[in-house]
Amino acid sequence: MLPSDVVRVRLRRQQLRPPHADSPDTVLRNLLAVQSQEFPYARWTLAQRTGGSTAADVEQAVADGTILRTHILRPTWHFVHRDDLGWLMSLSADRLHQGNKGMYRQTGVDEAAAARSGQVLAEAVAGGAHKTREELAEILGKAGFPSKGLGFIYHLMHAEISRILASGTPVRSAGGALKQTYALFEERVPGGTPGDREHCLAQLVLRYFSSRGPATVKDCAAWSGLTMKDIRLGIEVAQDISPGTLASVSADGLDFHLAAEELDSPGSDDTETDPRVDLIQCYDEYVMGYSQSRHYLGGSAPILPTDNSPMHVVLLDGKLAGWWRHGFVGSKCELDVRLDRPATPPVQRALETEVERYGTFLGMETQLV
């Protein structure tokens, strides 16, 4: 497998290339979890992998609870499909609580305090009474718990990880921005037991390597927050419950796992000869889905911006080629795109096509600045 094959297959399996998904929630079913701490850009992560979904389509899926947004995996904010959050949290919860142990101790979130604050939070949002962070802060404060700072944040996160809270229907702020709300986990996530741990591990590795392969065991461990031992066990169980779904291949001194069907037709199947530009967020799964083998991106990301420079990623034929961000002036979206090389006429046309696609996603006029 050549480096160009790795890039080509990853682009297709992640649905940045055809065949695209038919809706944002089917993108999420493929990718399993999508990092989403920057909500406006995370909407684009899902929509750009479809045949033309808009920001409003993603927002509606979040509003009705098809797509949930919560702390899971490493941990940070992720979009997760409601059908997957229960079993995925069963894999993540113990490691997330263990990772937060120091901050729990520092902020006074011991077992007894978390149980009490969890009950207060559950009662506050029960019966579909979705509440914003500010509303929950006031309720916790009146109950004698921290209403701001790290103490409040970790009580809230403990309740998410403990399957008390899940994301609710967002509300608009006075300025028009969407604000996260919280709902009762059991009211947003289908019931039922998550299944035994080995089966859940197998499901995770099947979904991960099928959507992000070629990737390594270390890539999957870093992405999931699980151990490499867990991932290897998941691969073994996956081979038993779904034989022939995954395959292995060696390249550049690394052992990769990927969807077996990708080895049935080796060589490029791309018919496009013109350059292709993709504007992706810096936390896109094409970036964050890998650690050990992220070098196929052609650079390092995410990075902290310097001198007020953009931090989101421009891809040219699947490789890092610059940085971008959006800004809003009235009813217009302005895109600040900075390529790391002079744009040839074909590359400029490809960039303008992507900018137009972003405007369609937003439903507003969009231009380069």
Side-chain angles (χ1 to χ4, degrees), residues 47-203:
Q48 73 186 133
R49 289 166 161 85
T50 70
S53 295
T54 65
D57 294 328
V58 178
E59 291 168 9
Q60 182 57 48
V62 174
D64 67 26
T66 303
I67 293 174
L68 300 172
R69 182 172 178 259
T70 192
H71 288 89
I72 200 167
L73 299 179
R74 291 182 289 277
T76 189
W77 288 107
H78 279 81
F79 285 144
V80 182
H81 196 283
R82 64 184 171 198
D83 292 343
D84 294 315
L85 183 56
W87 69 264
L88 193 57
M89 189 64 84
S90 75
L91 284 178
S92 284
D94 287 347
R95 289 186 63 82
L96 294 180
H97 281 315
Q98 184 64 33
N100 284 344
K101 193 173 182 179
M103 291 305 301
Y104 289 159
R105 185 165 50 248
Q106 179 180 325
T107 54
V109 186
D110 58 24
E111 185 175 343
R116 293 196 306 273
S117 66
Q119 183 176 359
V120 170
L121 291 167
E123 291 173 353
V125 299
H130 302 181
K131 288 184 171 57
T132 64
R133 175 178 288 216
E134 292 79 11
E135 290 170 330
L136 290 181
E138 182 178 355
I139 290 168
L140 280 182
K142 289 180 178 178
F145 295 99
S147 61
K148 59 184 178 180
L150 290 176
F152 169 67
I153 289 172
Y154 277 92
H155 273 285
L156 209 58
M157 189 184 299
H158 193 288
E160 288 182 88
I161 298 169
S162 300
R163 296 194 283 186
I164 295 170
L165 295 181
S167 62
T169 300
V171 296
R172 293 279 177 190
S173 67
L178 280 178
K179 297 181 67 174
Q180 169 103 12
T181 70
Y182 293 85
L184 194 64
F185 188 99
E186 65 185 31
E187 292 177 357
R188 297 288 267 183
V189 179
T193 57
D196 70 86
R197 189 170 189 275
E198 289 190 0
H199 185 270
C200 291
L201 285 172
Q203 292 301 318

